Amino acid sequence: MISAVLATVQMFSAGRVVEPFSELGLLGPDGKIGGYPEEAVAGSPFTLNVYVGNHEGKTVYYKVLIKLGDGSSIINETTPLLAEPIMEIRAVLSHNSSQIIPVNITLYKPATSLKLVFEMWIFNETSGAFSYHGRWNQLWINVTGPPLAAPASASYGGVSPELESKLVEAYLSIRRAEGAGGNVSEMVGMLNRALWFARGGDEAGAESLIGQVLAMEPEVSRLGVEASRMRLFTGLTALAVTSTIGVGCFIHFRRRVWVYWARLHRGWRVIWTGDGFKLSNLERTVRDRVKSNREIRVEELLSKPASGYGVYEVAKALYRLARSGALRLVDPSPPRSFLDYFLSIYNMGFVVAAFLVVACLLSVYGSNLTPALAVLRVILGSIFTLFLPGYSLIEALYPRGDELSPLERLALSIGLSLALVPLVGLLLNYTPWGIRLNPIMAVLSTLTLALLFISAYRKFGVLRLKAVASG
């Protein structure tokens, strides 16, 4: 039922962006945070990397202007730096995509505490021009050496007005096709190649690609309308199926779940361990049967339930009494090796958590196949990042079931997940793989499964100590 509700919300809120934003970052020569140059020699180029990310809910045409300033230069969220740009970078990005653009910068005049400023501008479809987006980065740098005259090729000129108008026309055609529901990824890629040609001075090559982008608009729009109808039909079908399965599972499992739990322990011996508990009539009946037969097993209580009660009611009463400590279930043949423990019902937590990890990986990498997998990606992805890392760590630190209450384990699992996942991202930033989907999924999966394996080994050790203590 919860899945049906989440599926409904996902279907009707898909594509909506509550708080749109764009990202502008400055990375070092190796494409990571840090390692920025502090000094440059006049006339000698140095490399930086500009990171641009789009979370605006639509395809956006970006322009990053590179300017020079000093300690007295003013720049903030509303006011760009009052200086002529020395370079510019352009990119067209789809929603939820990013790009790292290497930039070779050459400065020709010696200076102390020079401010190298990177400003983000975006194309405003209403005004038909670029506007300052309030994002900027800056790098303080010293330029040494004798002054050099900048060559004519180093002067900032941008693109010609004619080519600029054609680039804007191509971008607007992408927006129209996107508004019709079309997949504009190929059009965006071609326009970015056109920007690369324009940056290199090959206007003819850029215009050729722009023409191809404009020619693709009608077909992409038509396919987008058809795909939108199909997504709606598939989404409604998935919603109906999910709702039916959810309601069916609720009707079937709300009683059977206790029976399944009891049958997993059907060969276990039941021992009454304490009095003084406030018991219901059924629980008192169970207590009397257990006390009258010291060798009674769970399957005997289920095969001959108390008069007037069903099997599921007896199974539920057993579970409640076992959780409260009023009775104890003793395994007649506990696992004697770690392998036996690993493959037994004692390790069900590991099995369920590992299944969720695998299911999340399948939903992430297969979410483009069907809308149902896209819905599962949201559900399983939330569990994968907000619960499982912390849960596996808590299980490894506290292998005994009585050390923490279920509510404490739940709260600590969520809290530690919120601490572990950013830490993993920080560490990945200093590796050759960086913060990308594949490394993050691989590291989080490996970390979760490794901690679950450690918890299973520690729980086996606790079980052996209990077996030794009980004689």
Side-chain angles (χ1 to χ4, degrees):
M1 295 176 71
I2 294 173
S3 299
V5 173
L6 292 174
T8 304
V9 174
Q10 173 67 17
M11 185 178 68
F12 288 103
S13 64
R16 293 180 58 191
V17 179
V18 179
E19 295 183 4
F21 66 96
S22 296
E23 300 171 299
L24 175 65
L26 185 60
L27 306 176
D30 56 356
K32 301 177 183 176
I33 299 174
Y36 303 103
E38 298 180 356
E39 289 190 354
V41 178
S44 297
F46 59 92
T47 302
L48 292 171
N49 289 273
V50 177
Y51 171 86
V52 181
N54 175 18
H55 304 278
E56 298 284 348
K58 62 179 182 179
T59 301
V60 178
Y61 185 10
Y62 291 98
K63 179 165 65 174
V64 178
L65 299 181
I66 304 176
K67 300 179 180 180
L68 297 177
D70 52 31
S72 62
S73 302
I74 298 175
I75 181 173
N76 52 45
E77 290 83 358
T78 58
T79 305
L81 181 64
L82 187 59
E84 289 295 322
I86 61 171
M87 289 182 67
E88 73 171 27
I89 304 167
R90 296 176 182 240
V92 177
L93 297 180
S94 303
H95 174 56
N96 276 343
S97 65
S98 60
Q99 189 174 353
I100 297 178
I101 308 169
V103 183
N104 293 317
I105 302 174
T106 304
L107 303 175
Y108 297 93
K109 295 182 180 180
T112 302
S113 298
L114 184 69
K115 183 189 290 187
L116 190 61
V117 177
F118 298 78
E119 296 176 352
M120 173 179 280
W121 294 62
I122 66 172
F123 185 81
N124 189 316
E125 298 175 42
T126 303
S127 63
F130 283 93
S131 60
Y132 178 57
H133 196 50
R135 302 283 189 273
W136 87 96
N137 269 290
Q138 62 184 26
L139 177 68
W140 294 96
I141 192 169
N142 297 322
V143 183
T144 61
L148 299 175
S153 59
S155 61
Y156 169 77
V159 299
S160 64
E162 295 81 7
L163 183 58
E164 178 72 276
S165 64
K166 294 179 181 179
L167 290 169
V168 169
E169 184 181 1
Y171 167 68
L172 293 178
S173 72
I174 291 176
R175 289 288 296 119
R176 289 191 295 269
E178 185 177 50
N183 183 358
V184 297
S185 56
E186 186 176 357
M187 298 174 70
V188 169
M190 295 180 69
L191 186 54
N192 276 310
R193 288 198 296 272
L195 290 172
W196 186 81
F197 281 134
R199 184 178 175 183
D202 186 0
E203 293 196 1
E207 290 179 359
S208 174
L209 289 170
I210 290 172
Q212 296 180 46
V213 171
L214 294 173
M216 292 174 65
E217 180 189 349
E219 182 65 13
V220 173
S221 298
R222 184 187 65 81
L223 293 175
V225 172
E226 293 179 358
S228 297
R229 293 172 182 169
M230 182 59 67
R231 283 194 296 268
L232 178 61
F233 174 77
T234 307
L236 291 175
T237 303
L239 175 60
V241 172
T242 306
S243 302
T244 303
I245 294 175
V247 173
C249 288
F250 174 74
I251 294 173
H252 178 73
F253 286 110
R254 71 187 184 96
R255 292 189 174 187
R256 300 297 299 176
V257 64
W258 311 109
V259 179
Y260 295 148
W261 172 84
R263 285 178 177 171
L264 286 173
H265 302 82
R266 60 182 176 273
W268 291 34
R269 191 157 55 94
V270 184
I271 300 175
W272 189 263
T273 57
D275 294 312
F277 290 90
K278 186 177 180 180
L279 306 176
S280 65
N281 293 333
L282 175 58
E283 291 170 343
R284 283 195 293 269
T285 303
V286 172
R287 177 199 61 187
D288 295 340
R289 291 191 62 186
V290 172
K291 282 188 170 184
S292 63
N293 186 354
R294 295 185 177 275
E295 295 298 325
I296 194 168
R297 299 178 184 273
V298 172
E299 59 185 349
E300 297 178 43
L301 293 172
L302 295 180
S303 62
K304 297 179 181 179
S307 178
Y309 296 98
V311 174
Y312 83 93
E313 293 173 303
V314 176
K316 185 176 181 181
L318 279 173
Y319 177 81
R320 290 176 59 185
L321 291 169
R323 290 293 299 175
S324 64
L327 60 79
R328 183 160 56 94
L329 301 180
V330 179
D331 188 359
S333 56
R336 300 185 179 278
S337 66
F338 178 66
L339 180 60
D340 293 337
Y341 175 88
F342 196 79
L343 300 176
S344 68
I345 63 171
Y346 290 93
N347 203 31
M348 285 297 294
F350 180 95
V351 174
V352 173
F355 171 79
L356 289 174
V357 170
V358 174
C360 180
L361 292 174
L362 293 176
S363 66
V364 167
Y365 292 104
S367 58
N368 294 328
L369 300 178
T370 64
L373 285 177
V375 174
L376 284 176
R377 175 176 181 168
V378 176
I379 300 172
L380 297 174
S382 301
I383 298 174
F384 182 77
T385 56
L386 301 179
F387 177 73
L388 286 180
Y391 166 77
S392 60
L393 179 59
I394 287 296
E395 291 295 296
L397 293 176
Y398 302 99
R400 293 175 52 187
D402 57 354
E403 292 175 299
L404 296 173
S405 68
L407 184 59
E408 289 173 329
R409 287 183 182 271
L410 174 63
L412 288 173
S413 297
I414 296 174
L416 286 176
S417 295
L418 294 174
L420 280 175
V421 174
L423 182 61
V424 167
L426 178 63
L427 295 177
L428 279 175
N429 177 69
Y430 296 100
T431 66
W433 305 287
I435 305 176
R436 297 290 184 273
L437 175 63
N438 292 339
I440 288 176
M441 296 299 293
V443 172
L444 285 181
S445 301
T446 304
L447 175 65
T448 300
L449 294 176
L451 290 173
L452 287 171
F453 186 84
I454 294 172
S455 71
Y457 186 80
R458 295 199 67 196
K459 288 179 180 179
F460 173 65
V462 172
L463 182 65
R464 292 186 63 184
L465 290 175
K466 287 183 178 179
V468 172
S470 62

